[in-house]
Amino acid sequence: MKEFKLRVFRYDPEKDAQQHYETYTVPYREGMTVLEALLWVFENLDGSLAFRYSCREAICGSCAMYVSGSYRLACRVQVKDALEGDTVTVSPLPHMRVIKDLVVDQTKLWENYARVKPWLINDEPPPERERRQSPADRAKYNKEIDCILCGSCFSSCPSGANNDEYLGPHALNWANRFFVDTRDTADRERLEIVASEYGVFRCHTIFNCVEACPKHLNPTEAIQNLKKAAMAYKLGLRK
């Protein structure tokens, strides 16, 4: 293959009456990623194309996009793996307001993340040295901390598609990360947050978040753990 077609979602609310796709012919090389293809278009054909990226190593999550029908990190997915015939189609994350082209408004993503207080809470006097933890206790949140907050799960969740007050899989994943941390002493505070009207009970266990996660995490499992604890808390079975 010497070249392929890159079909890209375009929309500038300040100029365009409608959303549309534009198709570019891009020279191919073995190992080329979708992000590299977008950069080639930006540098050689259309400098007005807008998209986010940063680390290029699947760590920052900035380049999460909807590529040929799947949630992907553009810096990691190779063109050859995203081809549909001779074409790769790139769209912004669904169910999020488009600012321009592939750039979406992440305001609610971060607001909901902040609502679960994603930091260690411990009001007890600090020890002389660090708050120690056994390897077994540390392993309780091994999966959750790999979340890169790319927004793929938030975008894919049908419970949040029409209700952006729902905390969302990303925020609940991080709520569970600190809930299971033996150094954290804010269990009741966290359960009050996640057992609220827009918390864990809005999850209908559809698993879209699991399928969308580019880091192969399981936010649904984290939500189920919180659900179990929240139910016991609300029934007075847990203090």
Side-chain angles (χ1 to χ4, degrees), residues 99-177:
I99 295 175
K100 185 183 178 188
D101 299 334
L102 303 172
V103 179
V104 294
D105 183 358
Q106 298 180 331
T107 302
K108 205 61 189 177
L109 173 84
W110 295 111
E111 285 182 354
N112 288 358
Y113 175 60
R115 285 165 62 193
V116 302
K117 301 186 178 181
W119 55 81
L120 189 74
I121 299 175
N122 190 322
D123 295 330
E124 297 173 358
E128 190 171 325
R129 299 184 65 179
E130 73 272 17
R131 299 184 192 279
R132 303 190 69 176
Q133 198 168 47
S134 71
D137 285 338
R138 171 61 179 76
K140 292 177 181 176
Y141 52 88
N142 272 350
K143 296 178 183 176
E144 284 85 349
I145 60 172
D146 282 343
C147 172
I148 56 175
L149 292 166
C150 67
S152 293
C153 64
F154 178 78
S155 168
S156 72
C157 178
S159 296
N162 297 310
N163 185 347
D164 61 10
E165 290 302 315
Y166 170 54
L167 288 169
H170 70 302
L172 292 170
N173 175 77
W174 279 96
N176 191 60
R177 176 258 178 268

Side-chain angles (χ1 to χ4, degrees), residues 144 157 166 168-173 176 194 199-205 209 218-230:
E144 284 85 349
C157 178
Y166 170 54
H170 70 302
L172 292 170
N173 175 77
N176 191 60
V194 304
V200 289
F201 299 113
R202 290 270 176 180
C203 171
H204 298 298
T205 325
C209 55
N218 190 338
T220 301
E221 184 180 44
I223 294 171
Q224 296 313 303
N225 185 57
L226 290 173
K227 266 187 185 178
K228 185 168 61 177

Side-chain angles (χ1 to χ4, degrees), residues 13-239:
E14 296 182 356
K15 298 179 180 177
D16 299 329
Q18 291 185 331
Q19 303 168 354
H20 61 285
Y21 283 85
E22 290 187 16
T23 301
Y24 308 92
T25 299
V26 180
Y28 176 76
R29 65 167 177 77
E30 187 64 28
M32 187 179 207
T33 66
V34 171
L35 177 60
E36 289 172 332
L38 289 169
L39 287 168
W40 191 90
V41 170
F42 177 80
E43 292 169 356
N44 295 280
L45 300 178
D46 190 344
S48 70
L49 177 61
F51 53 98
R52 286 193 178 102
Y53 73 99
S54 182
C55 73
R56 305 192 191 194
E57 296 183 354
I59 295 173
C60 74
S62 299
C63 64
M65 300 174 189
Y66 200 62
V67 180
S68 296
S70 297
Y71 292 85
R72 306 284 186 90
L73 296 177
C75 70
R76 183 159 72 177
V77 61
Q78 294 193 6
V79 167
K80 67 178 182 181
D81 296 325
L83 281 171
E84 296 176 304
D86 65 347
T87 303
V88 173
T89 300
V90 186
S91 308
L93 291 178
H95 309 129
M96 298 175 77
R97 185 179 69 85
V98 174
I99 295 175
K100 185 183 178 188
D101 299 334
L102 303 172
V103 179
V104 294
D105 183 358
Q106 298 180 331
T107 302
K108 205 61 189 177
L109 173 84
W110 295 111
E111 285 182 354
N112 288 358
Y113 175 60
R115 285 165 62 193
V116 302
K117 301 186 178 181
W119 55 81
L120 189 74
I121 299 175
N122 190 322
D123 295 330
E124 297 173 358
E128 190 171 325
R129 299 184 65 179
E130 73 272 17
R131 299 184 192 279
R132 303 190 69 176
Q133 198 168 47
S134 71
D137 285 338
R138 171 61 179 76
K140 292 177 181 176
Y141 52 88
N142 272 350
K143 296 178 183 176
E144 284 85 349
I145 60 172
D146 282 343
C147 172
I148 56 175
L149 292 166
C150 67
S152 293
C153 64
F154 178 78
S155 168
S156 72
C157 178
S159 296
N162 297 310
N163 185 347
D164 61 10
E165 290 302 315
Y166 170 54
L167 288 169
H170 70 302
L172 292 170
N173 175 77
W174 279 96
N176 191 60
R177 176 258 178 268
F178 289 101
F179 180 70
V180 300
D181 192 323
T182 53
R183 301 166 300 174
D184 192 279
T185 60
D187 282 9
R188 292 183 62 178
E189 186 175 349
R190 295 193 193 285
L191 288 176
E192 286 289 347
I193 296 169
V194 304
S196 65
E197 182 179 359
Y198 300 109
V200 289
F201 299 113
R202 290 270 176 180
C203 171
H204 298 298
T205 325
I206 297 171
F207 292 99
N208 278 17
C209 55
V210 178
E211 184 175 340
C213 180
K215 304 298 282 188
H216 309 296
L217 304 183
N218 190 338
T220 301
E221 184 180 44
I223 294 171
Q224 296 313 303
N225 185 57
L226 290 173
K227 266 187 185 178
K228 185 168 61 177
M231 180 65 75
Y233 175 66
K234 287 297 183 182
L235 292 175
L237 302 176
R238 178 193 181 102
K239 294 184 178 179

